[in-house]
Amino acid sequence: MNSANGGLTSWPARHPWQAILIAALAAIASILGILHMSADASVQSMFPRGDPAAAAMGRVLNEFSAADDLLVLVTLPENQNDTALLSSYATRLSAALHDSPLIDAVVYRTDAQSREFFAKVVAPAAIYYLSDTDFQAARHRLTKPEMVKQIHQNEAMIAAPGPAAGALSAALLRDPLRLHEFLAAELNAKRPVKTVGNSDLFLSTDGRSLLIRVIGKKSLGDLDFANQLTDSVQHQTEKLNTDHLQIDISGGYAIAAASQRSIRHDMIVSVFSSIIFLQSLFILAYHRPIRYFLLAFIPVALGIIYGMGIRSLISSTISPAAAVVGAVLAGLGIDYTVLYLPHYHLAIKQGQSPIIAVAQTTRALGSTLLAACITSIIGFLAVGWSSVPALRDFALVGSLGLAGALLAAVWVLPAMLVLLGSGEKSSARPRVNLTPLLAWIASRRRWIIACMCLTTCACLAVIAFIPGELFPLESDLTVMHPRPNPPLDAEAKIAKKMGTDPGSLAIYLHASSSEELVRLAYQTEHRLDEKTVRQAGVIGTYGLGALLPDPKIVAQRRNAFTPAEIETIIADFKQAIADSSFSESAYEPYIQFLRKTLSGPPAPTITDLLPYRRLAETILSRDELNGSRPAESMMLVFFDSSLDDRASRVRAVEAVRQALADLPGATLTGLGIISLDTEQAIQHDLPRLLMATSGLVAVYLLLHF
């Protein structure tokens, strides 16, 4: 008796009320800690550490506004063709969102700042923006015969009858040689989005849809903010849709918000479904299942709470992946109490008192339960070796939860059993007697072991000789997103409507100075223009090269025209005007423009771009816009098809990475890149982790027993 009652393992049985009180106080403290925890709102927790692409992606998501935009695609009904409905809706939406504390701007047309930048910065320095081919063509147009030809064409166009003669005359007065055609061709080729006609609206290629960009005040990394912004904009889009337009919402904010809602829903469903399935299993397996289930489950639930409470002491945030581990722990931890209860009831049937029965059960099963717990924790520790913070958090929470479940099984459950007392009423008889089956297996153990060995050898042979890649990973990247996923579907629709592709990637650029950053941007563009890269699917880029000239071309073009050549061109132009019906004095501003442009004006730099914030923020970081970090930018890389398919993604990524391999400061990034790196890391580490985990479990069991 004294031996049974001695020791810490029997203390809960000898002092059940005190044990329950201690367990309750620990549970309350744990719950208070859990209530102060919040979900990790940063998507960086899902990125592996040590991966340059992941580090670059974190910088892009947190510091670049262009990565965050909420996209609203507004499409006319089938029976409508009036684009005025689209612009009217966009105007109303912009006004409704103007004072929102969540929104920085609503953009659906080329803004005034962008037009001013091209008029005041780009046009005077057009000589630096032209390709060699267009520059030679423009230079040829500045010869006297070509200028005379252009002036005669202008006379014929103005003389033609029609209501547009006045507007045409004004346009030709501003640029009678139509040199802007060369610049427009260059700039249009670099536009990331193709629109219809000459409208300043962001119209789709078919003219039936309008793209509206909603720019938030916080980064995409804040999932709570993404959810608030998406809900706010969606509410307003539905409220203002009086013309029965078709509304599609996508972009980084919307996709992140959809993922967050799905994770939260899955967390709730997984926990409750775990409880329901476990109770259903008890109903099928036992008589008096509800009482037996409560005895088995309550200690496990308390143990999981203890583990989460200890986790709250380590950090006040928890990753979404770790938050759903409760359902897994419930299924694992209940094994401890399910093993404990039959042994206890057997001791009760043999005439032992509850205190003695509990003490005997704890001593008899303690070593076995500890072994089961530690081997499971070893599995979690294998996951904890991952470089992904969210997976390490998952492993930590899982390990603490299992340890808590074991503690509750040998502390809380014994106290509960003693308080309930002895007797058959506290036991549960199984509905199915497995003794005959076990006896049959025992009588044929050699044959069964032989069959299992043959089956194992056959499976190993299949694995060894199966053609192709063993266990290839899913090729479709979209399986990483919850389904159904309207924002993700809308992303593909927007890409098709606007003439782009949904699989674009980003290149994070950083350099020692603004000048070096522009030089790096052009070096990157030239690398991506190589034949092997184009064959891999790259069709274009959008970065600093779309707004600022190439430093190499600047050095070449600054002295492309000698002072004597400039004076000859001016004299020939004056003579062509004098020989026409136009007045020379009316073209004096254009003559000054030619003189200034051909003389090699100062080339635009990042400093000239910064005042035009709406345009600059499409490729520059927030720090750079604020002047605190003037040497980083982002370049978008466009492909001729989606990169959701793994084979296409691997081919494109390898080609681009090989092209940029020896170019310091240029890092290819994007969710597709990180996903690919994670796949490769899994394929590399998984066999070693499996062998290491199996070895550790085997060694521990040998030492334990």
Side-chain angles (χ1 to χ4, degrees):
M1 170 72 72
N2 291 336
S3 176
N5 290 342
L8 182 62
T9 57
S10 63
W11 193 92
R14 291 183 287 111
H15 307 88
W17 285 112
Q18 292 92 323
I20 293 295
L21 178 61
I22 293 173
L25 292 176
I28 292 172
S30 298
I31 291 173
L32 291 176
I34 294 171
L35 291 177
H36 283 86
M37 295 177 68
S38 59
D40 187 352
S42 172
V43 295
Q44 278 77 11
S45 65
M46 302 300 295
F47 297 164
R49 291 182 179 176
D51 184 359
M57 190 64 185
R59 187 69 187 168
V60 168
L61 290 177
N62 285 328
E63 301 300 333
F64 286 79
S65 300
D68 300 340
D69 291 354
L70 184 72
L71 304 179
V72 180
L73 184 71
V74 188
T75 304
L76 290 170
E78 291 295 332
N79 58 345
Q80 290 283 351
N81 293 298
D82 186 7
T83 56
L85 292 176
L86 300 176
S87 60
S88 174
Y89 176 84
T91 302
R92 298 197 307 272
L93 181 62
S94 178
L97 300 176
H98 182 267
D99 296 327
S100 172
L102 306 174
I103 296 171
D104 192 25
V106 178
V107 182
Y108 55 93
R109 66 188 340 136
T110 304
D111 60 286
Q113 280 193 359
S114 298
R115 290 193 295 269
E116 184 180 353
F117 174 79
F118 286 103
K120 294 185 177 181
V121 178
V122 176
I127 190 175
Y128 303 130
Y129 286 88
L130 301 180
S131 65
D132 290 338
T133 301
D134 285 336
F135 176 73
Q136 293 302 326
R139 187 164 193 157
H140 178 66
R141 186 168 292 185
L142 291 174
T143 59
K144 186 174 182 179
E146 286 297 314
M147 287 191 285
V148 170
K149 179 180 177 181
Q150 289 296 324
I151 297 301
H152 288 166
Q153 288 181 356
N154 295 346
E155 288 180 314
M157 293 170 64
I158 293 175
L168 182 61
S169 177
L172 294 177
L173 181 63
R174 290 191 298 269
D175 184 17
L177 299 180
R178 295 204 290 276
L179 296 176
H180 72 278
E181 295 174 351
F182 300 105
L183 180 61
E186 286 289 329
L187 297 179
N188 286 334
K190 296 181 178 181
R191 292 174 63 185
V193 176
K194 311 302 180 186
T195 59
V196 65
N198 297 318
S199 173
D200 62 348
L201 294 170
F202 297 156
L203 291 174
S204 61
T205 53
D206 61 4
R208 295 184 51 79
S209 300
L210 175 66
L211 183 64
I212 304 173
R213 292 175 51 217
V214 180
I215 304 172
K217 290 188 175 181
K218 292 185 180 181
S219 73
L220 177 61
D222 189 336
L223 295 180
D224 289 333
F225 176 80
N227 194 46
Q228 294 174 13
L229 177 63
T230 303
D231 287 344
S232 175
V233 172
Q234 188 164 16
H235 172 72
Q236 289 296 338
T237 57
E238 294 173 355
K239 178 181 177 181
L240 299 174
N241 190 15
T242 57
D243 296 318
H244 306 290
L245 303 172
Q246 182 179 341
I247 309 295
D248 295 284
I249 297 180
S250 185
Y253 285 123
I255 294 175
S259 298
Q260 186 195 42
R261 285 193 294 267
S262 179
I263 290 172
R264 183 173 297 159
H265 174 268
D266 291 347
M267 287 169 54
I268 297 172
V269 170
S270 64
V271 171
F272 281 95
S273 62
S274 176
I275 297 173
I276 293 172
F277 287 142
L278 286 174
Q279 176 65 86
S280 301
L281 180 61
F282 272 71
I283 292 174
L284 293 175
Y286 299 102
H287 296 282
R288 304 177 60 86
I290 296 178
R291 179 188 182 90
Y292 200 62
F293 173 73
L294 292 176
L295 281 173
F297 185 76
I298 289 176
V300 175
L302 288 174
I304 296 173
I305 292 174
Y306 297 154
M308 294 290 287
I310 296 174
R311 171 62 180 78
S312 69
L313 298 177
I314 300 174
S315 174
S316 60
T317 61
I318 185 170
S319 69
V324 300
V325 76
V328 178
L329 295 178
L332 292 174
I334 204 168
D335 291 346
Y336 308 148
T337 53
V338 168
L339 288 173
Y340 194 100
L341 286 170
H343 198 285
Y344 165 79
H345 288 135
L346 180 61
I348 289 294
K349 289 181 180 180
Q350 293 173 349
Q352 302 290 350
S353 68
I355 295 178
I356 299 298
V358 162
Q360 289 180 349
T361 301
T362 301
R363 284 190 302 166
L365 295 181
S367 177
T368 303
L369 297 180
L370 179 63
C373 180
I374 291 181
T375 51
S376 297
I377 289 177
I378 289 175
F380 277 109
L381 292 179
V383 178
W385 290 338
S386 170
S387 61
V388 180
L391 294 182
R392 291 204 301 272
D393 196 21
F394 176 89
L396 176 61
V397 173
S399 301
L400 292 174
L402 278 181
L406 177 62
L407 175 63
V410 297
W411 183 276
V412 179
L413 181 58
M416 292 174 59
L417 292 173
V418 171
L419 291 177
L420 288 173
S422 61
E424 285 294 318
K425 62 181 180 179
S426 62
S427 64
R429 292 182 296 106
R431 294 182 183 275
V432 180
N433 185 7
L434 298 179
T435 303
L437 175 62
L438 296 176
W440 183 87
I441 293 175
S443 64
R444 296 165 176 80
R445 53 188 178 275
R446 289 188 177 87
W447 286 102
I448 292 177
I449 291 175
C451 289
M452 294 300 296
C453 291
L454 290 174
T455 302
T456 302
C457 292
C459 292
L460 291 175
V462 171
I463 293 175
F465 296 105
I466 190 173
E469 184 181 0
L470 181 64
F471 300 129
L473 297 176
E474 173 61 55
S475 64
D476 186 0
L477 186 62
T478 61
V479 299
M480 298 183 67
H481 295 276
R483 290 291 185 178
N485 196 320
L488 194 64
D489 297 335
E491 181 185 53
K493 181 177 180 179
I494 290 173
K496 182 178 180 180
K497 283 276 189 180
M498 306 308 293
T500 63
D501 67 283
S504 60
L505 299 176
I507 297 178
Y508 172 69
L509 304 174
H510 64 93
S512 58
S513 65
S514 298
E515 294 77 13
E516 287 297 322
L517 185 63
V518 177
R519 189 172 288 107
L520 176 62
Y522 271 96
Q523 289 176 335
T524 304
E525 283 192 0
H526 295 328
R527 298 287 185 92
L528 298 182
D529 201 33
E530 295 175 358
K531 182 178 180 180
T532 55
V533 180
R534 293 288 175 170
Q535 289 177 341
V538 175
I539 58 174
T541 61
Y542 175 75
L544 281 173
L547 303 177
L548 299 177
D550 187 347
K552 285 186 177 180
I553 291 183
V554 171
Q556 298 170 1
R557 302 278 171 81
R558 181 170 284 124
N559 300 313
F561 295 90
T562 64
E565 286 179 302
I566 295 173
E567 293 305 320
T568 299
I569 291 172
I570 297 299
D572 290 342
F573 176 74
K574 289 182 177 180
Q575 185 61 49
I577 292 296
D579 294 340
S580 70
S581 59
F582 298 113
S583 171
E584 181 179 338
S585 60
Y587 287 95
E588 188 60 32
Y590 187 72
I591 293 173
Q592 298 303 320
F593 167 79
L594 283 178
R595 191 185 303 277
K596 179 180 178 180
T597 300
L598 300 180
S599 298
T605 64
I606 287 182
T607 303
D608 300 303
L609 176 60
L610 290 178
Y612 305 92
R613 188 178 183 90
R614 285 287 166 259
L615 190 61
E617 68 186 4
T618 61
I619 50 176
L620 300 180
S621 69
R622 293 182 178 91
D623 283 348
E624 187 170 348
L625 291 172
N626 297 329
S628 59
R629 184 169 179 155
E632 63 176 359
S633 69
M634 177 180 68
M635 177 184 294
L636 295 178
V637 184
F638 301 106
F639 296 83
D640 56 6
S641 61
S642 173
L643 298 183
D644 289 338
D645 178 71
R646 186 172 183 271
S648 301
R649 186 164 67 252
V650 170
R651 183 174 65 254
V653 169
E654 288 180 348
V656 175
R657 277 183 165 170
Q658 185 174 0
L660 303 179
D662 59 344
L663 187 61
T667 305
L668 182 66
T669 187
L671 293 179
I673 303 296
I674 298 171
S675 172
L676 185 62
D677 290 347
T678 304
E679 289 177 5
Q680 293 173 345
I682 291 173
Q683 290 177 326
H684 179 265
D685 294 340
L686 185 58
R688 294 189 301 173
L689 290 177
L690 288 175
M691 289 189 292
T693 304
S694 301
L696 287 174
V697 170
V699 170
Y700 169 75
L701 291 178
L702 287 173
L703 294 175
H704 183 93
F705 292 107

